[in-house]
Amino acid sequence: MPSYPHFIAIDASSREESAFPVAIAWSLENGTIKTALIQPEDDWDDWDYSLEDLHGISQHTLYQLGETPWSVIRELEHDLEQPLLFSHEPDITQILLERLYDACGRDLSVETADHSDGISDPQRLHDWQLDHALDHQPCDERVRLMLMLYAGQD
């Protein structure tokens, strides 16, 4: 069975600096994808209703079905064999992870890097990025697409 690096994607409440994480997806070493909705903290109030069309998540859904930040962090850390996560937007992912960890009074224990770091063919990467608009996909689909790219499946 192939072994994969850990990929991560996070959907945010808005595109503003004060955005908070609303959904998270990450991959396991065997390629399995896990997802979680994240219940907002009381002071997480930045919300862009137009993003609901992208990620399909309403505030009501988060309050009803979301997991606490602590529960999400615990599950994520339990699943990781190493603390390096690959993302198509590592800086934004890092900020949203910090917000998640801050909600629990914890220091960030994982690191993010660009998902394309391991791709040796720049033309293949460029073509792939044109074909798959990651910015317009929900987090679980972004993780699936990054796994496909890593595996060499376009």
Side-chain angles (χ1 to χ4, degrees), residues 11 14 17 19-20 26 29 31 34-35 50 64 75 92 95 98 116 121 124 129 131 140 142 152:
D11 289 334
S14 76
E17 191 174 306
F20 59 88
W26 66 89
E29 191 174 78
K34 294 184 90 172
T35 63
S50 67
Q64 296 299 312
E75 187 173 353
I92 293 171
I95 290 167
E98 286 172 1
S116 62
D121 181 352
R124 179 173 160 257
Q129 288 174 330
D131 290 342
D140 56 336
R142 294 195 311 268

Side-chain angles (χ1 to χ4, degrees), residues 6-13 20-28 32-40 44 47 55-57 62 65-80 85-89 92-101 104 108-112 137-144 146:
H6 295 285
F7 293 100
I8 187 169
I10 303 175
D11 289 334
S13 62
F20 59 88
V22 298
I24 185 170
W26 66 89
S27 63
L28 305 181
T32 301
I33 299 171
K34 294 184 90 172
T35 63
L37 296 176
I38 302 167
Q39 190 175 80
W44 291 358
W47 189 262
H55 51 58
I57 303 164
L62 292 178
L65 302 175
E67 298 179 39
T68 65
W70 177 251
S71 177
V72 173
I73 289 171
R74 189 175 57 228
E75 187 173 353
L76 174 66
E77 289 179 344
H78 178 267
D79 288 341
L80 298 179
L85 299 160
F86 293 92
S87 170
H88 85 290
E89 295 179 321
I92 293 171
T93 300
Q94 190 86 12
I95 290 167
L96 291 169
L97 281 169
E98 286 172 1
R99 190 142 298 130
L100 191 63
Y101 274 76
C104 300
L108 190 60
S109 65
V110 296
E111 219 178 301
T112 58
Q137 304 291 335
C139 61
D140 56 336
E141 181 64 7
R142 294 195 311 268
V143 170
R144 186 187 72 76
M146 288 185 283

Side-chain angles (χ1 to χ4, degrees), residues 4 124 128 132 145 147-154:
Y4 297 94
R124 179 173 160 257
W128 185 87
H132 302 89
L145 289 168
L147 282 165
M148 287 178 58
L149 174 64
Y150 180 83
Q153 303 169 2
D154 297 328

